[in-house]
Amino acid sequence: MPRYAFLILPAFNRVYGESAARLTRSELAVFSDRALGGGLSGIEERLIGGLPYVTFETAGPLDGADVARLSNLSSVYALFELAGELLRPLAMSPLDRLSSDLITIQKYAGKTNEHFTKLLLNVTALATDFPMDSRLSVFDPMCGRGTTLNQALMYGYDAYGVDVDTKDFEAYSGFVKKWLRDKRFKHTADTVPVRRERALVGRRLQVTFGLTKEAFKAGDTQHVSMVNADTLRAREFFKPATFHLIATDAPYGVQHGSKGGGGLSRSPLELIRKAAPVWAELLRPGGALGISWNTYGGTRDELAGILAAAGLDVVGYPDFEHWVDQAIVRDIMVARKPA
């Protein structure tokens, strides 16, 4: 049986790097089941030449389409075919269509590791009824400074977000406008107030860009929009059944996310319980919601119950739990909206 090896991408975050190979093994199992018909086996971690790899076997040689799908794994640096003790490199062709500094250039306290953001987006996209390489609409209902939005743009998707923090809204608005100018992409970018019955309910950043002037003129464009408002009011800004997938990194038990009528919530599950029905309404049938959360703030069964009560079906995925620091053990749960 052909055997292959993924070289794990070095992580800037040492703690995340220690979990990267195990998380890649779990992510690869999802790709095998959802994108390659369960055709991978013998997935294991292995040191080769003192470097971390994840190896696997296939019933037959990987074709170009298989390699293209696997090129999108979140922590993969290179793919090799094993020939005895030798490694034969295979040309990877990920979905990425923009330069990587869109993801890496922002540096700020509390930023979610970009490898993990990509993992969350990947496993959520694979749970939907929609091909991962198609033009998807992604929504992050607690988007912070836009790491998930930027990863969606990298894949050629349209990206939409909501966040209650005005500083995060302004930081992301400034960043994405400057990045597009620096890259000389033809684009439009506006920040406008949103009013309901003459009352100001939020601000919306609206950006449209094309990779070339010709593409922009022809309407071959991508869109990113972020609203500065309470996530519980997301339905006021977006129509039902708009998004193919929702991916978000929940607050880790600090003040964040939603005023909810009684001050900012310190409990991520309390916030999710209120917001999940709103988010589910925004999902298309056959779409999926992926959420990461701190297990110290609520159990897997509790979160599964909240998502089920919102009309979503929890997907049985492999283990993605990993240690972040002494107060945070992070995990992922994905749930589908029935078609």
Side-chain angles (χ1 to χ4, degrees):
M1 297 176 68
R3 190 157 186 83
Y4 299 87
F6 278 120
L7 176 62
I8 301 302
L9 186 69
F12 293 110
N13 183 297
R14 177 189 59 81
V15 173
Y16 189 82
E18 291 174 352
S19 300
R22 180 177 61 80
L23 293 173
T24 299
R25 189 182 67 204
S26 296
E27 185 183 8
L28 183 57
V30 175
F31 269 82
S32 175
D33 182 53
R34 302 290 303 186
L36 288 93
L40 308 187
S41 61
I43 300 173
E44 60 184 18
E45 300 171 46
R46 180 178 168 188
L47 288 177
I48 302 176
L51 296 176
Y53 287 77
V54 170
T55 62
F56 60 96
E57 294 178 346
T58 60
L62 293 175
D63 62 23
D66 294 334
V67 172
R69 295 184 186 99
L70 293 173
S71 297
N72 296 297
L73 266 79
S74 60
S75 292
V76 165
Y77 189 54
L79 172 62
F80 301 91
E81 183 177 6
L82 289 170
E85 296 299 315
L86 301 179
L87 298 171
R88 184 174 71 86
L90 300 179
M92 299 175 67
S93 53
L95 290 173
D96 295 351
R97 56 186 275 157
L98 302 170
S99 60
S100 62
D101 61 354
L102 176 61
I103 303 292
T104 60
I105 198 170
Q106 287 180 292
K107 304 294 182 185
Y108 53 88
K111 180 183 179 182
T112 303
N113 181 280
E114 48 261 31
H115 298 175
F116 178 76
T117 297
K118 187 174 182 179
L119 187 158
L120 175 62
L121 187 65
N122 283 347
V123 298
T124 306
L126 288 169
T128 73
D129 290 342
F130 312 105
M132 189 173 174
D133 59 356
S134 59
R135 181 70 171 269
L136 303 181
S137 294
V138 176
F139 178 54
D140 184 345
M142 298 179 286
C143 64
R145 298 194 183 186
T147 304
T148 301
L149 307 186
N150 291 340
Q151 181 58 58
L153 294 177
M154 287 286 289
Y155 276 178
Y157 301 161
D158 292 326
Y160 303 85
V162 169
D163 202 274
V164 73
D165 191 303
T166 298
K167 290 183 179 179
D168 284 349
F169 176 83
E170 292 174 347
Y172 184 70
S173 297
F175 167 76
V176 74
K177 290 176 182 178
K178 183 177 186 303
W179 188 86
L180 289 167
R181 289 195 304 268
D182 290 347
K183 297 298 180 181
R184 299 190 175 183
F185 286 133
K186 179 67 175 177
H187 68 281
T188 61
D190 300 294
T191 301
V192 297
V194 181
R195 299 182 184 277
R196 298 288 184 270
E197 299 179 354
R198 298 184 180 181
L200 181 67
V201 295
R203 290 186 297 161
R204 185 193 296 266
L205 168 71
Q206 300 179 134
V207 176
T208 299
F209 69 94
L211 298 186
T212 65
K213 291 182 179 179
E214 294 75 18
F216 186 89
K217 186 176 180 180
D220 180 12
T221 56
Q222 285 181 254
H223 308 279
V224 57
S225 178
M226 180 179 178
V227 177
N228 180 204
D230 190 329
T231 191
L232 297 182
R233 304 184 72 172
R235 178 63 181 81
E236 298 180 29
F237 305 98
F238 303 103
K239 295 179 181 179
T242 293
F243 304 114
H244 297 93
L245 67 96
I246 296 174
T248 196
D249 195 18
Y252 296 148
V254 297
Q255 288 189 356
H256 183 89
S258 171
K259 296 180 181 178
L264 287 171
S265 171
R266 288 184 176 272
S267 168
L269 291 195
E270 179 184 336
L271 168 58
I272 295 166
R273 182 176 289 107
K274 295 176 182 177
V278 178
W279 301 342
E281 189 177 357
L282 297 176
L283 264 182
R284 295 189 183 195
L289 181 152
I291 187 165
S292 66
W293 86 105
N294 181 10
T295 61
Y296 287 145
T299 68
R300 171 169 285 274
D301 287 345
E302 288 173 324
L303 180 57
I306 290 170
L307 298 182
L312 303 176
D313 297 330
V314 175
V315 178
Y317 265 177
D319 173 31
F320 288 108
E321 185 176 282
H322 60 286
W323 190 83
V324 177
D325 64 29
Q326 61 183 0
I328 301 171
V329 174
R330 185 166 54 193
D331 202 354
I332 287 175
M333 182 171 290
V334 176
R336 284 173 42 85
K337 185 172 183 177

